[in-house]
Amino acid sequence: MNLGYDNAVAVVTGGSSGIGLATVRVLLGAGARVALCARNQSRLEDVAGVLRRDYGEDRVLTRAFSVLDEAAVNAFADAVRETFGRCDLLVNNAGQGRQSTFADTSNQDWCDEYELKIFSQVLPIRAFLPMLKEASGAIVAVNSLLAYQPESHMVCTSSARAGVQNLLKSLSLELAPDVRVNSVLMGLIGSGQWTRRFAEREDQSVSREDWYRDLARRKGIPLGRLGDAEEAANAIAFLGSRAASYITGAQLDVSGGLNRHI
């Protein structure tokens, strides 16, 4: 399938590791030029060096900043226009989950979580929207299965994720027909938090393969394993491509069958 990314320009937030970096690689491999951002400048510079080596100096643009810094987000959009002249796809991937129950979530925790989840969508969309409209482009948000299937030990994140999903549905209506808006609902992907939890496992003699297999069994994942970051990236690339040109306001479940909702 030709995803139609030749000469296209994609922007990926949270693009220096995990699903974000896998998405950057998939998009570059499909022919796009990619601008990526992340907070950690040192890691971003290391990643950028490898990407430029593998895909070409003129196809990669990087900036280090927080997506909650409105001025920095706007400056990033200006840099993308100046460097590449357009933006066809915005992938909003920034933001990780907070583990907490209702009893141990403070007022400030609630405020911080909602600010991160909502404004990591709002600020990049607002900044890149003029270019997306010009290109009849697409927005793909990386969200979580928690939006529809909350867990009590992640009550704050689950609630915020549901709010994000509602926002995206509203935007899919408001921005149509100029810009398509879709999301991916991630289950357990073998990167990010699960890599960290594996490193902190009680029995350090257990291999990654065995630890992940046992986790998938305990979580009841029908496919019997955690997902791979590249599998998530492929779903994102599809929704952002011309191959999905008649899809908007949708959510694609990438959870190995973990979903229990209809």
Side-chain angles (χ1 to χ4, degrees):
M1 180 186 298
N2 182 0
L3 296 180
Y5 280 112
D6 291 340
N7 299 316
V9 174
V11 172
V12 181
T13 68
S16 65
S17 63
I19 293 171
L21 179 55
T23 302
V24 169
R25 286 190 168 278
V26 167
L27 293 171
L28 285 167
R33 292 168 290 169
V34 179
L36 61 147
C37 65
R39 288 178 299 174
N40 189 313
Q41 183 164 359
S42 176
R43 183 167 63 189
L44 186 60
E45 288 175 354
D46 290 342
V47 166
V50 174
L51 293 174
R52 291 189 176 106
R53 180 200 67 197
D54 292 346
Y55 299 100
E57 288 281 342
D58 60 343
R59 296 182 60 200
V60 178
L61 173 69
T62 62
R63 291 290 186 275
F65 60 89
S66 166
V67 290
L68 299 184
D69 183 339
E70 185 171 10
V73 174
N74 291 339
F76 184 43
D78 290 341
V80 170
R81 184 182 285 278
E82 180 178 347
T83 304
F84 294 137
R86 60 187 295 138
C87 176
D88 301 270
L89 169 62
L90 171 63
V91 178
N92 280 334
N93 173 63
Q96 61 185 15
R98 176 190 295 273
Q99 292 190 64
S100 65
T101 63
F102 182 78
D104 59 21
T105 305
S106 69
N107 289 350
Q108 190 59 53
D109 290 338
W110 283 103
C111 291
D112 291 346
E113 188 68 359
Y114 267 77
E115 180 184 25
L116 174 59
K117 295 300 186 291
I118 297 297
F119 282 93
S120 65
Q121 301 292 332
V122 169
L123 297 182
I125 290 173
R126 185 182 290 153
F128 285 94
L129 190 55
M131 281 187 282
L132 289 167
K133 285 184 174 180
E134 290 169 9
S136 296
I139 297 165
V140 179
V142 179
N143 206 356
S144 169
L145 188 61
L146 293 169
Y148 289 94
Q149 194 165 296
E151 296 192 22
S152 58
H153 72 286
M154 301 188 77
V155 62
C156 187
T157 285
S158 297
S159 176
R161 292 290 191 186
V164 168
Q165 205 59 31
N166 190 289
L167 167 65
L168 296 170
K169 190 66 171 181
S170 296
L171 287 175
S172 73
L173 300 173
E174 182 174 338
L175 302 184
D178 300 316
V179 178
R180 296 184 301 107
V181 182
N182 295 294
S183 64
V184 286
L185 302 179
M186 296 299 176
L188 277 64
I189 305 297
S191 63
Q193 63 171 318
W194 295 110
T195 299
R196 292 189 294 272
R197 292 186 196 182
F198 167 74
E200 297 165 356
R201 66 198 183 282
E202 290 184 10
D203 185 352
Q204 291 289 312
S205 68
V206 177
S207 69
R208 181 186 298 270
E209 182 180 2
D210 288 342
W211 192 85
Y212 277 179
R213 185 185 299 112
D214 183 62
L215 174 62
R217 179 190 58 77
R218 288 185 285 110
K219 291 290 186 179
I221 300 174
L223 290 187
R225 63 179 179 83
L226 271 63
D228 182 83
E230 186 174 353
E231 292 176 309
N234 287 334
I236 293 166
F238 165 69
L239 282 178
S241 75
R242 299 300 182 191
S245 58
Y246 199 57
I247 302 175
T248 194
Q251 52 279 333
L252 181 55
D253 187 317
V254 185
S255 71
L258 181 60
N259 60 307
R260 299 290 183 265
H261 63 276
I262 297 176

